[in-house]
Amino acid sequence: MTSPQTLPDTQKAVRWHPPAYDIRVEDVPAPRIQHPDDAIVKVKLGALCGSDLHIYRGHGGVDQVHTCGHEFIGEVVALGENFRSSVQGRPALYSSLKVGDKVVSPFTVNCGECHVCRLGYTARCPEGFLFGSPALEGGQAQYARVPKAGGTLFNLSNPSTWSSALPNDIKQKALSDISDSSLLLLADILPTGVFAALQAINHPKVAPVITGKPWPLCFSKDDISGNEVSFTKSDRVLTVVVIGLGPVGICATVSMLDALATRNVPFQLVAVDPNESRRQKMMTVYKTIDAAGKGSGTFVVLSIDEARTQVKEMTNGVGATAILEVVGNTSALDLAYELVRAFGVITSVGVHGAPPLPVTGRDLYNKNVSLDFGRCPARAMFPPAFDLLVKRQDVFGTVGEPASLIDRIVDLGQATESYRAFDKGEVGKVIFDPWK
Amino acid sequence: MTSPQTLPDTQKAVRWHPPAYDIRVEDVPAPRIQHPDDAIVKVKLGALCGSDLHIYRGHGGVDQVHTCGHEFIGEVVALGENFRSSVQGRPALYSSLKVGDKVVSPFTVNCGECHVCRLGYTARCPEGFLFGSPALEGGQAQYARVPKAGGTLFNLSNPSTWSSALPNDIKQKALSDISDSSLLLLADILPTGVFAALQAINHPKVAPVITGKPWPLCFSKDDISGNEVSFTKSDRVLTVVVIGLGPVGICATVSMLDALATRNVPFQLVAVDPNESRRQKMMTVYKTIDAAGKGSGTFVVLSIDEARTQVKEMTNGVGATAILEVVGNTSALDLAYELVRAFGVITSVGVHGAPPLPVTGRDLYNKNVSLDFGRCPARAMFPPAFDLLVKRQDVFGTVGEPASLIDRIVDLGQATESYRAFDKGEVGKVIFDPWK
C-alpha cells in the first residue's frame, strides 16, 4: 500500500445539481482509499459523453448532487492494501499495478473475479457501478476513486497484462505513440463501437452470408444436416446499416469496416444520421481510412429519408441483414425495424429509456427479428478496441484534425458552457484537462 | 406432367367459419393444378396444431371460410408441367419428384430459389403462404394443393434429395421404420423445436460458456484480442430454461438435450409449465430418452412458481443463460425476462399477438438481453429434424405410448369435437386420417 498523504485535501470537480441543466465546477474533498481494493487515479483527461446528457437533462431519475463523467485516463497515485506483489488467485493487476502507472478506466466498475466478469460480461458485474452517478463519483475531476481497481483498470504502462493479436513491439510502440486523448476513447466509445460490430457479425442469423452455407449448415462444425444450396455472388454480400453517427456511431462504423475487411466479407455498409454535419464528419473519417481498412465493399452515408428508399433498392426490397442502432430512442428503433430484413439482426447499444418499444411481439414474429440490447462490457473489450486504435491511428489520431472524434480539450472552467453547447449539438466531443 | 383426371370432383375437408369456434366438415371441390409449379398431394394424415387455435378462437383477424391445417403428410398424385427430368437450375425436386412419392410439407410454402430461401430462411420466402389460411387451403382434407412444390415439399421416398450427417443405410432404414404419424412431426413442431434450440445454442452470448473463453475471445477463430481468464468448472455449466411444454415445447426440450449432449456441454435444463399434466408428460418423455441422449447435466420440470425460486438458486442468483419461450404470449415473455441472466438470450418461437411487449428498451438495456423472435424455417430445418427423429424414436415412436406427442388419430367426423376438446386442453395433439 502506498500512503495517500500526497493527495491534497480538496480538488476541483464538475458537479451536476438537480433538477436539470445545472453544472457547476466546485471544490470538493479529494477522494481517499476507502477499501483495500481501491485505487486513486490522478485524472489527466476526463471526457464528456453523449450519455452524460441523460442525467444533465434530468432524464436519469437522479436527484443527488454528484461529480460527473465516466470516461477518464490518468495515473495511479494511491493503492489499497490488497495491491501487493504476493497476491495470488486474483485479477493480475492486484499483484502488478504500481503507483505511477498510466491507466484508463472503463465507464463501469467490475470486480473481474465473479462468474459474470469471467464470462467477459463486465458491464453487468453485480458489484459494478457507473462512474459519474449518485452511486460513484465521476472522472470529470482532478482525482477519482476506482473501486475493485484490480478488476476495473486497464494498465497502459504494462502491456504484458493483456493478450493481444498484435506483436509485442507494435503494442509497445503504440503505447508511446498514441496520445492520451486517443487512448481515452478506450474508456467507452471505442469498445462500445467494437462491441456493437462484433455482436452483429457473430450473430447466427448473419452466419449464412458469412459462411456461404444456409441455416443450419452455417454451423457445420457441429455436423448438422441441412440442404446443400448454391449461393449466388450477391447472396454473400452483407448489408449493414449503422443508425446514428455521433462519436459512438462513428466508432461502430469504423469497427464494422475493420471486421468486414478482416474477414474478407463483401459488403454494403450504410451509415445514417439526420444531422448533416455528422454525416460530413463520417465521410471525412471514411476518407481518412487506408485502403486495407476499407475492405471490399461499398460505403454510403445517408439521411433518414434517403436510407428509407436506398436500403430497399440496394437489397432488392429485402432489407439489411444487420442494423447497428447507436442512438437509444424509439424513432431509431422504429427505423431499424423498417430497414432490417426478415431474419435480420438489430444490435442496440444506445441507452434506452422507459417508453414502450415501437414494435409488438407480432411485428418481431412476422419479420423474425433478433434484437441484442445493452451496455458494452468495456473492460472486456479493451484488448480488441486497443488493437483497432492502433490500426486506425489515421482516424483516432490528433485532436483538431478534421477526422478526429474529439472536438477540443478545455479546462474545467469551461465545463458549464461545454455541457450547454454539447447538449445543443454546437460542439462535438469535449475533453476536460483538470490541470490546465 | 401427370394428368389430374384421377382426382375426384369433391373431397371432405375441415373448414373454419367466422367469426370463431365454428368448425365444419364439408364437401368441397378437390384441388386442381393451378400453376405449373403446383403439386397435388393426397393427404394421408393431417394434424391439429396449437397455432390453429389462433384462428379457431377468432384471434387471427380472419373473416373468410377456409380449409384448416398446416401439418400434413401424403402422396403426390398430380404434378404441374414444370416437373420433368430435364429441368435444370431449379430446386432438385422439379426434376426428381414423381407421382406416388411420399412427401411431407412444411407449414408454409417457399419457392426455394430466392435469396431468402437460399439463406435457409424459408419461412419468410416472399412467395410464401401459410397453409390453412385464407391465402391457401390447408391440409386437414383429403387433398391439398402445394404451390412452388419443388421448393416446398420434402421427398421421403428419395432420401438422396437431402444431405444428412446420418449414414445412408440408417437414413433409408429409418424412412421405412418410422410411422407416418411420427414423420408428420416434421411438418412443424419438431423443426420448430430444433430451430429454437439451435438459435439459442449458437448465439454469441452463449459462446463463452460453450467455448470456455470470455467475450470476445470466444470468437478466437478471428484472431481477436481479449483478456485471458480461467473459468471455473461451474462457469461452464449452461443453464437453459424452456417455458411452455405443449408439443413444441417438448420438441424444443428434446432437441436442446440432444444439442447439449452432442456438444458435450455440461448443463442444467429446466422445463417449465403451469399445467401439471403437461409437466408429467415432459417427465415421461425424458425418462424414455436413452442415456446418450440425456447428456451430462441435470434436468428438472417445474411449475412457474417453482421456476421463479429455483432458477435463481441453481445459478447463484445470476439467472439462466438461455430461455426458450415456446408459448407466444405476454406472460411467458415476462417470465422469460425475469429468469434470464444479464447478457442472456431469449429465443421465442411462439406466435405472438399485437399487445405491447412486457419490457421496455430500458429493461432490455439494463439486463443486456438478446431476443430472437419468429417462425421456424421448417423446410430448411427438415434434415436436422429428421436426424433427431431417427435418434429419438424412443420418444417420437408409437401413437398411444405414454411418451408419444400424439394423443390419437381420428376420422374427419370427429374434427369439430376435436377442436373443441383441444382448445379446452382436454386432449393432446390430434391427427386426422381423412380416409378412415
Side-chain angles (χ1 to χ4, degrees):
Chain A
M1 179 181 174
T2 305
S3 160
Q5 64 262 38
T6 55
L7 285 170
D9 290 335
T10 63
Q11 63 162 347
K12 289 200 182 308
V14 178
R15 308 273 287 175
W16 177 86
H17 287 254
Y21 301 106
D22 186 356
I23 295 290
R24 307 179 197 171
V25 179
E26 300 179 310
D27 286 312
V28 296
R32 290 286 182 274
I33 298 286
Q34 293 177 19
H35 181 281
D37 288 350
D38 284 354
I40 305 295
V41 173
K42 182 179 176 186
V43 176
K44 283 176 143 177
L45 297 172
L48 187 46
C49 172
S51 58
D52 287 326
L53 297 176
H54 289 268
I55 290 178
Y56 177 66
R57 293 169 180 161
H59 299 166
V62 170
D63 60 4
Q64 194 182 311
V65 178
H66 61 269
T67 299
C68 306
H70 56 256
E71 301 181 0
F72 61 99
I73 186 168
E75 179 189 321
V76 175
V77 291
L79 288 167
E81 58 191 19
N82 284 344
F83 290 82
R84 40 178 201 268
S85 57
S86 60
V87 169
Q88 289 190 328
R90 299 202 68 194
L93 291 205
Y94 285 108
S95 61
S96 64
L97 193 64
K98 303 275 179 284
V99 166
D101 281 350
K102 179 154 91 174
V103 289
V104 58
S105 176
F107 58 98
T108 55
V109 166
N110 55 270
C111 75
E113 49 196 338
C114 69
H115 171 64
V116 176
C117 283
R118 280 194 299 271
L119 296 193
Y121 299 145
T122 51
R124 296 291 171 208
C125 172
E127 303 214 39
F129 299 104
L130 177 66
F131 284 99
S133 71
L136 185 61
E137 300 286 21
Q140 293 168 7
Q142 293 179 311
Y143 295 92
R145 183 178 71 87
V146 179
K148 301 285 171 197
T152 302
L153 290 172
F154 190 62
N155 190 351
L156 296 166
S157 295
N158 186 355
S160 73
T161 52
W162 80 93
S163 69
S164 167
L166 295 174
N168 213 45
D169 55 333
I170 290 185
K171 194 159 104 169
Q172 194 75 55
K173 180 170 184 321
L175 284 169
S176 59
D177 285 356
I178 299 176
S179 65
D180 288 347
S181 59
S182 295
L183 290 167
L184 179 53
L185 299 177
L186 289 172
D188 180 348
I189 69 170
L190 192 55
T192 299
V194 174
F195 174 66
L198 288 182
Q199 188 161 247
I201 209 161
N202 288 297
H203 197 283
K205 282 182 175 165
V206 177
V209 179
I210 304 230
T211 62
K213 286 168 178 281
W215 250 91
L217 288 179
C218 52
F219 314 118
S220 60
K221 62 181 184 298
D222 304 308
D223 285 335
I224 283 171
S225 301
N227 304 288
E228 294 291 352
V229 174
S230 294
F231 280 23
T232 66
K233 205 171 162 188
S234 72
D235 288 340
R236 301 207 55 190
V237 175
L238 188 63
T239 303
V240 180
V241 177
V242 179
I243 298 175
L245 300 177
V248 179
I250 290 178
C251 288
T253 306
V254 173
S255 180
M256 182 52 88
L257 276 168
D258 179 72
L260 293 161
T262 308
R263 288 164 183 74
N264 290 312
V265 177
F267 64 86
Q268 300 179 305
L269 181 56
V270 180
V272 182
D273 199 286
N275 180 310
E276 195 187 338
S277 69
R278 288 183 160 197
R279 295 199 299 273
Q280 283 173 350
K281 180 68 149 194
M282 182 72 252
M283 262 333 281
T284 305
V285 166
Y286 180 72
K287 286 176 184 161
T288 308
I289 297 172
D290 64 25
K294 284 175 176 163
S296 323
T298 58
F299 176 71
V300 288
V301 182
L302 302 177
S303 71
I304 290 175
D305 284 343
E306 289 167 341
R308 287 209 155 100
T309 54
Q310 290 190 36
V311 170
K312 240 181 216 164
E313 285 168 20
M314 291 164 74
T315 57
N316 293 317
V318 168
T321 295
I323 313 277
L324 278 52
E325 187 276 288
V326 198
V327 181
N329 66 26
T330 304
S331 65
L333 264 185
D334 204 37
L335 179 65
Y337 179 80
E338 181 183 336
L339 299 182
V340 77
R341 62 176 302 152
F343 282 87
V345 181
I346 299 170
T347 288
S348 166
V349 295
V351 180
H352 279 267
L357 291 168
V359 288
T360 65
R362 176 173 291 171
D363 295 330
L364 297 172
Y365 178 85
N366 283 346
K367 235 177 159 176
N368 275 69
V369 172
S370 289
L371 301 172
D372 292 306
F373 269 74
R375 178 188 274 175
C376 165
R379 180 62 186 81
M381 303 301 295
F382 275 162
F386 177 78
D387 290 0
L388 185 62
L389 195 60
V390 174
K391 281 196 216 175
R392 288 278 74 74
Q393 292 181 60
D394 41 12
V395 171
F396 302 121
T398 320
V399 176
E401 291 290 310
S404 171
L405 298 191
I406 297 151
D407 197 310
R408 60 192 70 172
I409 302 177
V410 301
D411 60 53
L412 288 188
Q414 294 178 63
T416 304
E417 166 57 15
S418 296
Y419 267 81
R420 190 206 59 75
F422 188 59
D423 178 49
K424 297 287 182 202
E426 295 168 12
V427 292
K429 195 167 184 71
V430 174
I431 289 181
F432 302 116
D433 177 346
W435 304 98
K436 207 169 168 177
Chain B
M1 179 183 174
T2 305
S3 161
Q5 66 262 39
T6 55
L7 287 170
D9 290 335
T10 64
Q11 63 161 348
K12 288 197 183 308
V14 178
R15 310 272 287 175
W16 177 85
H17 286 254
Y21 301 106
D22 186 356
I23 294 291
R24 306 179 198 171
V25 180
E26 300 179 310
D27 287 310
V28 295
R32 292 285 182 273
I33 299 288
Q34 292 176 20
H35 182 281
D37 289 350
D38 284 354
I40 305 295
V41 172
K42 182 179 175 185
V43 177
K44 283 176 142 176
L45 297 171
L48 188 46
C49 171
S51 58
D52 287 327
L53 297 176
H54 289 268
I55 289 178
Y56 177 67
R57 292 169 180 162
H59 300 167
V62 171
D63 59 5
Q64 194 182 313
V65 178
H66 61 270
T67 298
C68 305
H70 55 256
E71 301 180 0
F72 61 98
I73 186 169
E75 179 189 320
V76 174
V77 290
L79 289 167
E81 57 192 21
N82 284 345
F83 289 82
R84 42 178 199 268
S85 56
S86 59
V87 169
Q88 290 190 328
R90 300 201 67 193
L93 292 204
Y94 284 108
S95 62
S96 65
L97 193 63
K98 302 277 178 284
V99 165
D101 282 350
K102 182 154 90 171
V103 289
V104 59
S105 175
F107 58 98
T108 55
V109 166
N110 55 270
C111 76
E113 47 197 339
C114 69
H115 172 63
V116 176
C117 283
R118 279 194 299 271
L119 296 192
Y121 299 146
T122 52
R124 296 291 171 207
C125 172
E127 304 214 41
F129 298 104
L130 176 66
F131 284 99
S133 72
L136 185 62
E137 300 286 22
Q140 293 168 6
Q142 292 179 311
Y143 295 92
R145 183 178 70 88
V146 179
K148 300 285 171 197
T152 303
L153 291 172
F154 191 62
N155 190 353
L156 297 166
S157 295
N158 186 355
S160 73
T161 53
W162 80 92
S163 69
S164 166
L166 295 174
N168 214 44
D169 56 332
I170 290 184
K171 193 160 103 169
Q172 194 74 56
K173 180 170 185 320
L175 283 169
S176 59
D177 284 357
I178 299 176
S179 66
D180 288 347
S181 59
S182 295
L183 289 168
L184 179 52
L185 300 176
L186 290 172
D188 181 348
I189 70 170
L190 192 56
T192 298
V194 174
F195 175 66
L198 288 183
Q199 189 162 246
I201 209 160
N202 287 297
H203 196 284
K205 282 182 174 164
V206 176
V209 180
I210 304 228
T211 62
K213 286 168 178 281
W215 250 91
L217 287 178
C218 52
F219 314 119
S220 59
K221 62 181 183 300
D222 304 309
D223 284 336
I224 283 171
S225 300
N227 305 287
E228 294 291 351
V229 175
S230 294
F231 279 23
T232 66
K233 203 170 162 188
S234 72
D235 289 338
R236 302 208 52 190
V237 174
L238 187 64
T239 304
V240 180
V241 176
V242 180
I243 299 175
L245 300 177
V248 179
I250 290 179
C251 288
T253 306
V254 172
S255 181
M256 182 51 89
L257 276 167
D258 179 71
L260 293 160
T262 307
R263 288 164 181 74
N264 290 312
V265 177
F267 64 89
Q268 299 179 305
L269 181 57
V270 179
V272 182
D273 199 286
N275 179 312
E276 195 187 339
S277 69
R278 288 183 160 197
R279 295 200 298 273
Q280 283 174 351
K281 178 70 151 194
M282 182 72 251
M283 263 332 284
T284 305
V285 166
Y286 179 73
K287 286 177 184 160
T288 308
I289 296 172
D290 64 26
K294 284 176 176 162
S296 324
T298 57
F299 177 71
V300 288
V301 183
L302 302 177
S303 71
I304 290 175
D305 284 343
E306 289 168 340
R308 286 208 156 99
T309 54
Q310 290 190 37
V311 170
K312 240 181 217 163
E313 285 168 19
M314 291 163 75
T315 58
N316 294 317
V318 168
T321 295
I323 313 278
L324 277 52
E325 186 276 288
V326 199
V327 180
N329 66 27
T330 304
S331 66
L333 266 183
D334 203 38
L335 179 64
Y337 179 80
E338 181 182 336
L339 299 182
V340 77
R341 61 176 302 151
F343 282 86
V345 181
I346 299 171
T347 287
S348 166
V349 293
V351 180
H352 279 267
L357 291 168
V359 288
T360 65
R362 176 174 289 170
D363 295 330
L364 296 173
Y365 179 86
N366 282 346
K367 234 178 162 176
N368 274 69
V369 172
S370 288
L371 300 172
D372 292 306
F373 269 74
R375 179 189 275 175
C376 165
R379 180 62 185 80
M381 302 302 293
F382 275 162
F386 177 78
D387 290 0
L388 186 62
L389 194 62
V390 173
K391 281 196 212 172
R392 286 280 75 73
Q393 291 180 61
D394 42 12
V395 171
F396 301 121
T398 320
V399 176
E401 290 290 309
S404 170
L405 298 191
I406 296 151
D407 199 307
R408 61 191 71 173
I409 301 178
V410 302
D411 60 53
L412 289 188
Q414 294 179 63
T416 304
E417 166 58 14
S418 295
Y419 266 83
R420 190 205 59 75
F422 188 59
D423 178 51
K424 297 288 181 200
E426 296 168 11
V427 293
K429 194 168 184 68
V430 174
I431 289 181
F432 301 116
D433 177 345
W435 302 99
K436 208 170 168 178

